[in-house]
Amino acid sequence: MLRIAIQKSGRLQEGSLELLKESGLSFSNGKDQLKTQARNFPVEILFLRDDDIPQYVEDRVADVGIVGENIYVEKQKNNEIVKRLDFAKCRLSIAIPRAETYGGIKSLDGKNIATTYPNIVKGFLKRHGISAGIHEISGSVEIAPGIGLADAICDIVSTGSTLLSNGLKEVEVVMQSEAVIIATPGLDGEKADILDKLLFRIEAVKKAKNNKYILMNCPNDSIKLITDVIPGMKSPTIIPLARQGWSSLHSVVDENDFWEKIDLLRSFGAEGILVIPIEKMIV
């Protein structure tokens, strides 16, 4: 049985639960539930405070955990990242009062910075040769400059709306963060095997989200041009149509350059283009 720790509430919980369910795990997750067991996979899920997850993984109470990379870096526990999950993306940034003029990173020298991430901030300041005071506080970091506790803050930023509503502006990005799976180094054979199977499923889900299945009708004399643009996993499927000189071509296109490739395909004479989401993608 593999024990997975996820956030019991907060911005990572919904994405973590969705990912596990999309990976084929069936489980209940009622309100205030502290743990649950998958009905169809050897996994037990623990619902914990995100700040506590690295410690639980280090202590082997949980074998793996889904946390923000910022938490993993800040806590400095004996964990390792085994998978980046490409959701809950944000950044840890330094912000100052909006009315102030920012003179570059050297202007932070001698200032006081309020943060929930003292270890990350200390490392950042040290790398840039800045000497600043750090006030470690939990929650409501944005209020610190307004009440005279600090000259600046360092906190998680997603859209920047919270900073704006508190009269602050972002001036330095300290680190980028996303959801990651962390694990206890040296998992035993059985748990390592279960984790490998779970990671395989998660990768299939991630690949599916990053690609679309595409069907189109195209002139036969454009097939070579089109297959060069969308080669698919090995090669496209080509089916002759009843219409002379035309074929139906099926392939896969990367979501990141989807529109650019669609425009190119249309310029090659492709028409009747259908785009279909992929639920799982195993290569």
Side-chain angles (χ1 to χ4, degrees), residues 214-224 226-227 230 236-251 265 268-274:
I214 185 167
L215 303 83
M216 73 200 76
N217 297 328
C218 62
N220 288 343
D221 56 9
S222 294
I223 289 176
K224 177 63 168 62
I226 291 172
T227 55
I230 48 170
T237 299
I238 301 170
I239 304 170
L241 294 178
R243 181 180 176 184
Q244 190 68 27
W246 283 73
S247 294
S248 175
L249 189 147
H250 302 199
S251 191
L265 296 175
F268 293 153
E271 59 183 49
I273 300 171
L274 300 179

Side-chain angles (χ1 to χ4, degrees), residues 53-54 57 63-67 72 79-82 180-184:
I53 290 175
V57 173
D63 304 302
V64 301
I66 300 178
V67 295
Y72 161 76
N79 312 141
E80 58 186 9
I81 293 177
V82 296
V180 296
I181 297 181
I182 60 173
T184 305

Side-chain angles (χ1 to χ4, degrees), residues 93-96 105 108-118 121-122 124-125 130-137 141 144-145 149-155 174:
S93 295
I94 292 175
I96 64 173
I105 194 167
L108 296 174
D109 206 59
K111 299 294 179 68
N112 290 316
I113 302 172
T115 186
T116 310
Y117 304 94
V121 175
K122 286 175 186 175
F124 176 79
L125 295 176
I130 305 298
S131 177
I134 296 176
H135 289 281
E136 182 180 358
I137 57 178
V141 175
L149 179 64
D151 305 295
I153 69 163
C154 184
D155 201 17
V174 174

